[in-house]
Amino acid sequence: EELYRLQGQIRQLEKMKQPEKQPPKSSLPTIFVITPTYVRLVQKAELTRLSQTFLHVPQLHWIVVEDSLHKTPLVSNFLMKSGLTYTHLHVPTAKERKLQEGDPSWLKPRGVEQRNEGLRWLREDRRTQPGEDSHQGVVYFADDDNTYSLQLFEEVVRFHTGWRPSRPFPMDMAGFAVSLKLVLVNPDACFDGEAPMGFLESSLLKGLVTIDELEPKADNCTKVREAARVHNV
Amino acid sequence: MPKRRDILAIVLIVLPWTLLITVWHQSAIAPLLAIQKDEGAEGKRETGGQDSKEYCASDKDIVEVVRTEYVYTRPPPWSDVLPTIHIITPTYTRPVQKAELTRIANTFLHVPNLHWILIEDSQRRTPLVTSLLRETGLNYTHLNVETPKSFKIRGDTRDPKIPRGTMQRNLALRWLRETFKNNSSQPGIVYFADDDNSYSLELFEEMRSTRKVSVWPVAFVGGLRYESPKVNAAGKVYGWKAVFDPHRPFAIDMAGFAINLKLILSKPQAYFKLRGVKGGYQESSLLRELVTLSDLEPKAANCTKILVWHTRTEKPILVNEGKKGFTDPNMEI
């Protein structure tokens, strides 16, 4: 039947494809992307399109942390089929910090425990890896409802916000990346769930750098490399 | 003889070293994750998952880390045997436009033999879309047609509003008919993909085998978790699983069907109806000119899988821009 013929041809072509050789792994640092996720109607849709972006990025290691007591089959199966290098973790949000029905989404910081769990795993995992190379890398926090351009992963993003500029590092969660070394060298730096609204990102960063040490990327912040907080209903 | 003794001595010295090196090499490799070659096609990933090795660390939270060797040519090389998928996407200027187009382009970059027809609802093609299209590396056609203000959603109340994107989709159909007039043998599939939906890569491979019109379920439409065609035991569509007007001729969302290019070319009068179309009947206005219910080919495992989600993007909150605007207006977002 034509369908099988076509499928067979596709398979043959895949085998014949000359893959563009990636540069040797040692020259590309790994980008560790930490994504908290939680069950809701659009979860699979969001994770699907996010994974499609990540598939284009070489040396990306996706750390997905579910806000739940157990790993869900949806996320487990999804990650298995995704084709990405990943780590699947889970940790439930403390009851007091969980948003209640009717709470506006900005009321309580979301994803704190999950991001910290990602950091904990990273520190734990890297400790058991041999060699200096294993400490090379970049850590990025990517929420599952944002959009990322491919150029972003080659650069660190802009530094601009109008809300409470007196924050130590006024930037959105998607607006910074940190070198893995810094994360490993400062094992106590983590997100403070008790920090006032808008200070969540600062609560981690102040444990890692001072403002002068931030490296502006994206052509010295004249280009927007991604659109943050594209919320999907 | 001295020579033979020398050789023996060398062998005896070298042998333990080679053994040592081999053992060290093995022990260095063993804890590394299994490398699994991914052949790129979506269908292959199922078997790939079964072959992957499990890495059990001391931390009980880690289940599995799968490392896949990936091909980074984007888009994939053009094939002479695969039918081309012509994706028709209407778009219009608004703050999240670039984000949406970026995201959807990242999806399309995985699909072989894809031709993206992007039609702007504008008087002129904008620089934003022009450079975005160029930078993606995708095979594309960039068109534009402005919907007259009287037709737009919040326009003249006497004239029934036409759904957004209609004129743009029709322009794309016209372009296809003009471009492939003499070359109707080139196999192609036409799919209407809005820029804010989410698509699985599997969907594109499902639609490639469309003979006339293929259909599948769509999530988050019609006020339901999903709407779906009803398929009988013989694999034929006999109705629609929908709450909102299930008796529409085709109670299906724009993202829920694909049409073989041959059919589009053979029925040159078939277009989306512009005026006098009730809400939810837009898809029917085109499909009734092309097929009957019995012609429909159900995909996605006889319409039991969700491969496309009608996601919507929330308007971003720009209240802090104030009257004069706070951020640099020249910054393209």
Side-chain angles (χ1 to χ4, degrees):
Chain A
E1 208 210 329
E2 208 197 323
L3 177 64
Y4 291 116
R5 184 182 63 85
L6 277 172
Q7 281 179 333
Q9 271 167 339
I10 293 170
R11 272 188 220 111
Q12 283 218 318
L13 284 165
E14 303 285 30
K15 290 193 189 114
M16 277 169 19
K17 222 168 15 181
Q18 295 291 357
E20 213 173 73
K21 276 292 165 220
Q22 309 173 41
K25 291 198 168 143
S26 55
S27 66
L28 275 181
T30 303
I31 302 178
F32 294 94
V33 180
I34 299 179
T35 300
T37 187
Y38 62 104
V39 174
R40 78 268 197 204
L41 287 171
V42 295
Q43 182 184 36
K44 192 175 182 187
E46 302 287 37
L47 291 175
T48 299
R49 53 184 174 182
L50 193 57
S51 72
Q52 287 160 359
T53 296
F54 290 163
L55 278 167
H56 292 299
V57 184
Q59 287 293 92
L60 184 145
H61 184 135
W62 199 13
I63 301 172
V64 177
V65 193
E66 294 199 69
D67 180 352
S68 82
L69 276 168
H70 310 280
K71 288 194 169 83
T72 62
L74 185 146
V75 177
S76 306
N77 293 330
F78 165 78
L79 285 172
M80 202 157 52
K81 294 191 200 154
S82 68
L84 289 163
T85 300
Y86 68 89
T87 296
H88 185 186
L89 307 169
H90 65 96
V91 65
T93 303
K95 257 203 198 90
E96 324 81 68
R97 270 209 265 279
K98 240 184 149 62
L99 287 170
Q100 299 308 321
E101 192 93 40
D103 276 347
S105 60
W106 47 259
L107 189 66
K108 291 174 188 142
R110 168 161 249 156
V112 173
E113 281 94 330
Q114 289 73 39
R115 292 190 194 97
N116 285 338
E117 171 65 9
L119 287 172
R120 189 205 58 77
W121 178 87
L122 202 49
R123 286 163 175 147
E124 190 63 41
D125 178 76
R126 293 292 106 173
R127 195 142 34 99
T128 61
Q129 300 283 350
E132 248 322 294
D133 273 351
S134 67
H135 290 215
Q136 296 296 334
V138 184
V139 180
Y140 188 68
F141 298 95
D143 287 350
D144 62 7
D145 57 1
N146 286 345
T147 298
Y148 301 91
S149 78
L150 301 179
Q151 288 86 346
L152 169 65
F153 295 99
E154 297 156 23
E155 308 185 33
V156 172
V157 189
R158 66 190 163 93
F159 174 89
H160 200 116
T161 184
W163 194 54
R164 290 220 221 175
S166 51
R167 281 189 272 162
F169 305 101
M171 46 184 29
D172 184 81
M173 186 64 65
F176 68 92
V178 293
S179 97
L180 178 61
K181 260 211 189 74
L182 267 180
V183 168
L184 298 177
V185 153
N186 297 289
D188 297 322
C190 61
F191 289 99
D192 179 3
E194 302 301 318
M197 278 314 295
F199 283 74
L200 191 64
E201 297 84 355
S202 307
S203 71
L204 170 73
L205 287 170
K206 68 175 195 269
L208 299 171
V209 287
T210 64
I211 218 168
D212 308 316
E213 294 173 297
L214 288 175
E215 307 160 43
K217 293 287 182 185
D219 294 335
N220 261 348
C221 301
T222 56
K223 283 208 185 128
V224 179
R225 282 296 186 224
E226 49 77 48
R229 293 285 178 266
V230 180
H231 282 296
N232 297 287
V233 184
Chain B
M1 276 157 16
K3 248 195 178 163
R4 221 191 294 176
R5 216 177 289 159
D6 287 341
I7 294 168
L8 186 62
I10 291 167
V11 170
L12 285 174
I13 291 167
V14 170
L15 187 62
W17 285 106
T18 36
L19 281 172
L20 267 169
I21 289 166
T22 314
V23 169
W24 168 83
H25 195 246
Q26 295 279 30
S27 66
I29 294 289
L32 285 182
L33 309 152
I35 304 238
Q36 150 207 334
K37 221 182 180 134
D38 183 294
E39 298 189 14
E42 182 71 27
K44 290 282 177 194
R45 287 199 195 110
E46 304 278 358
T47 49
Q50 288 161 24
D51 289 337
S52 65
K53 295 215 177 76
E54 255 181 46
Y55 174 66
C56 298
S58 51
D59 188 339
K60 60 174 161 57
D61 281 330
I62 303 166
V63 168
E64 198 175 296
V65 184
V66 175
R67 188 162 290 165
T68 312
E69 214 175 281
Y70 224 89
V71 176
Y72 287 102
T73 43
R74 46 172 199 256
W78 201 264
S79 146
D80 285 328
V81 293
L82 290 177
T84 303
I85 298 179
H86 301 278
I87 306 253
I88 296 177
T89 302
T91 187
Y92 63 102
T93 303
R94 77 272 196 202
V96 297
Q97 180 187 39
K98 192 175 183 188
E100 304 288 42
L101 294 178
T102 299
R103 181 156 50 187
I104 206 182
N106 287 340
T107 300
F108 294 160
L109 281 164
H110 290 290
V111 185
N113 286 43
L114 184 146
H115 171 222
W116 196 14
I117 306 174
L118 193 57
I119 317 99
E120 294 197 71
D121 185 344
S122 65
Q123 231 176 42
R124 268 175 285 277
R125 290 183 281 181
T126 62
L128 186 150
V129 175
T130 305
S131 30
L132 185 143
L133 280 172
R134 197 184 29 233
E135 280 165 20
T136 60
L138 285 165
N139 176 15
Y140 68 88
T141 295
H142 187 186
L143 306 170
N144 70 289
V145 62
E146 190 175 32
T147 309
K149 285 195 179 53
S150 59
F151 286 177
K152 284 202 174 145
I153 294 289
R154 264 183 281 273
D156 191 339
T157 45
R158 269 200 310 145
D159 237 325
K161 312 152 207 165
I162 66 165
R164 169 165 265 155
T166 308
M167 289 186 69
Q168 289 71 35
R169 292 188 191 98
N170 281 344
L171 180 65
L173 288 174
R174 186 151 68 94
W175 181 91
L176 281 168
R177 285 164 175 145
E178 282 170 10
T179 308
F180 292 96
K181 211 174 3 199
N182 299 320
N183 207 355
S184 53
S185 62
Q186 245 186 36
I189 311 291
V190 176
Y191 182 55
F192 299 97
D194 287 350
D195 61 10
D196 56 0
N197 289 343
S198 307
Y199 309 91
S200 78
L201 299 180
E202 206 182 323
L203 176 70
F204 301 106
E205 298 321 310
E206 286 287 296
M207 68 175 74
R208 239 186 260 274
S209 54
T210 304
R211 277 189 282 246
K212 286 193 174 172
V213 175
S214 55
V215 293
W216 48 78
V218 179
F220 311 133
V221 287
L224 296 171
R225 288 169 68 245
Y226 64 91
E227 271 183 349
S228 170
K230 282 200 214 166
V231 182
N232 62 21
K236 286 275 192 198
V237 177
Y238 67 94
W240 308 99
K241 197 148 67 180
V243 167
F244 170 71
D245 212 337
H247 302 293
R248 289 173 272 165
F250 296 88
I252 196 167
D253 181 80
M254 196 66 71
F257 63 92
I259 309 170
N260 191 307
L261 179 62
K262 269 199 194 56
L263 188 56
I264 300 276
L265 300 176
S266 67
K267 306 255 168 102
Q269 310 305 323
Y271 282 97
F272 288 104
K273 204 159 167 231
L274 261 181
R275 296 152 85 155
V277 179
K278 258 203 293 183
Y281 282 75
Q282 228 223 336
E283 294 80 359
S284 300
S285 74
L286 173 71
L287 288 171
R288 64 204 300 216
E289 316 262 327
L290 297 170
V291 279
T292 60
L293 217 65
S294 56
D295 285 330
L296 298 175
E297 301 149 56
K299 300 288 177 186
N302 262 351
C303 297
T304 57
K305 283 161 76 164
I306 300 290
L307 301 176
V308 55
W309 300 260
H310 195 291
T311 41
R312 256 176 266 263
T313 301
E314 198 182 273
K315 248 180 106 168
I317 299 166
L318 301 180
V319 67
N320 279 345
E321 290 286 347
K323 274 212 196 109
K324 292 201 190 134
F326 179 84
T327 54
D328 179 0
N330 292 319
M331 178 82 105
E332 187 186 82
I333 53 164

